[in-house]
Amino acid sequence: NCLLHVQKNEIRTFDSLDGLWTFVREPHNGGDIGIGNQWNTLDLDKFPNATVMPVPSAYNDIGTGSELRDHIGWVWYEKKEFVPLRDRNMRHVLRFASVNYFAVVYVNSEKVTSHTGGHLPFEVDVSSQIKFGAENKFTVAVNNTLSWSTIPQGDFNYQKLAQRNISGRILSRLPDGAVKNVGNFDFFNYAGILRTVQLVKIPSIHIQNINIVADHTGSFFFETAANNLDGIQVEVKMFDGDSNQVFTTNQTKAEGKLENAKLWWPRGMGDPNLYTLDVSLISDGELVDIYRETFGFRTVTWSDSQIFINSKPFYCLGFGMHEDFELIGRGFNQAVMTKDLNLLEWMGGNCYRTTHYPYSEERMFENDRRGIAVIVETPAVGLKGFSKANNNLHIKMLTDMIDRDKNHPSVFAWSLANEPVTSKKESRAYFKTLVDTAHGIDRTRPVTTVYGPTNFDNDETADLMDFICVNRYYGWYIDMGYIPWINQSVYWDISLWRETFHKPIIVTEYGADSIPGLNQEPSVDFSEQYQNEVIQETHHAFDALHKDHTITGEMIWNFADFMTGMTTTRAVGNHKGVFTRSRQAKIAAYTLRNRYLKRFDQTQLE
Ligand code: E9O
């Protein structure tokens, strides 16, 4: 089930289906998560209530009322598009880079596939459904309802017809048909077609998978798969960043060693050198397929206290982030992606975690190119139920995620989950399957989980991990207002995790909310001063923890303010950003920038 990234080259091409799609919303979910109306058989653009929806974008903030923003249940997207006759000899694969949460896909009214979960790509061969030289109808039904069996999880409540007593008095607090769906996580559940949609055209004999492992000694191994190799000659060529050919073979699988390989380094340690592997399939001297995969020579190792990249200690100066912006929500946007990575570099950052789901494929290539090291995280945020069904879905998402991102040198670790309730006994067996899955597919990267609700003395899973991530909020969720206590509390807490588990630790979240422009001296919570002081005090503890090799990195929560659902602790979203939601710096951004820039050059680290 490997999905290669889409590329255009001598043989391969694609039609983008991005743009304005026809859009119709069904009534709120009546508690039935099964398919609603069978509108795939109709022309949605003829519906009187049809409107348009940009793709890619979340749909929630595009409308004008709260109905669409707060919608729970089905929405329908439809696009009519010609498929040229000249392409009729190509395989046609319909590929979605991310649809949140549940998608059912139809081509010319016929169901072709369904998919569960946002933030990961899925595709389906539609060659036999497509009409060539004609207009085709693509329909996608999307449901955003979360429950305790989805990942991420959420609480679903539906008030059926209320009971009445004999005198007709209503016996229910909530009106008939009331639906409430609260995600068990702290960000808005942006829904719809969030990333690009492409009609991918590949030859009938084609490359299906490429797996490359290349380390800092110059050793490499690769393996490539095709759907059919009968009578096919394979040609593999490796090129360095200056397009010099450095290796070639006719095997689908080979290993070798490059003398003087130029390594991929995170920024602050060296240049992020990249190589390319060109895989060609040739039949009777003619090129039938070609695919070019970029990769890097680099090694990730870890001791009981540190993480090393190419045998050199790596200290993460990082961020928790979100794919989140005004209007588009979690929809992919090149301007937002580029601005965010530019700001991350301006801050002197070298690292981030894809909180709390895999980020866009475009962004993974940018991380490679810029030398930004990333921990890629599954969509499993805030897990508190550990059923077999959850486990299977989680394993599938983890597998798809590693499959998608395995050849990116910037990815240095896999995060299985954020803040699971792993004090529950049954979580151990559950997490064991995930660790084994990740190690089974990828031996070259460490596996971690990000701990929040559990402590060093009650977590059932942390010893299974290669390194440990911990989120801690002294001065905010704990001891609000007691800034002078932060230093000792953070040191105490984190050093006990380390003493208990003897693993490297990254503190992956700390921080405080601030409303931009709210100034208070002396500081009070929600002022820019308070946020800044919490961060400065936490840094004192980090310096001591770094010095004695207790932590191998730090990540602020959060890079920028982001939207959440409505709760009493959120005023138009979470304001723990060091940037505002429109990416303007708060006071804390300068504190962090000073700190990261001072530590940016990592070549002297011990
Ligand atoms: C996950 C992140 O998505 N961690 C949360 C972040 C937050 O700002 C959220 O945005 O709330 C922190 C959870 C910390 C909870 C600690 C509670 C301790 C009570 C004693």
Side-chain angles (χ1 to χ4, degrees), residues 186 356 418-419 473 477-478 509 557 562 570 574 576:
D186 181 39
H356 295 301
N418 179 75
E419 297 175 350
Y473 286 87
Y477 289 116
I478 301 173
E509 289 184 22
W557 188 259
F562 58 90
R570 297 286 174 257
N574 185 312
K576 293 193 185 68

Side-chain angles (χ1 to χ4, degrees), residues 360-374:
S360 68
E361 291 160 78
E362 291 86 339
R363 189 156 163 151
M364 304 311 293
F365 286 101
E366 271 300 284
N367 299 330
D368 292 347
R369 193 185 66 79
R370 292 170 183 253
I372 301 172
V374 289

Side-chain angles (χ1 to χ4, degrees), residues 464-515:
L464 301 170
M465 305 302 148
D466 298 317
F467 73 94
I468 293 172
C469 294
V470 184
N471 299 344
R472 283 297 178 265
Y473 286 87
Y474 290 101
W476 190 258
Y477 289 116
I478 301 173
D479 300 331
M480 170 70 88
Y482 293 87
I483 286 175
W485 299 1
I486 293 175
N487 185 359
Q488 183 170 328
S489 299
V490 172
Y491 188 88
W492 164 83
D493 192 323
I494 301 300
S495 54
L496 278 164
W497 276 90
R498 164 92 182 95
E499 243 179 71
T500 311
F501 295 106
H502 306 283
K503 310 259 182 179
I505 296 176
I506 297 180
V507 178
T508 36
E509 289 184 22
Y510 70 99
D513 285 74
S514 78
I515 306 294

Side-chain angles (χ1 to χ4, degrees), residues 412-424:
F412 76 97
W414 307 115
S415 165
L416 303 177
N418 179 75
E419 297 175 350
V421 184
T422 36
S423 47
K424 293 185 178 168

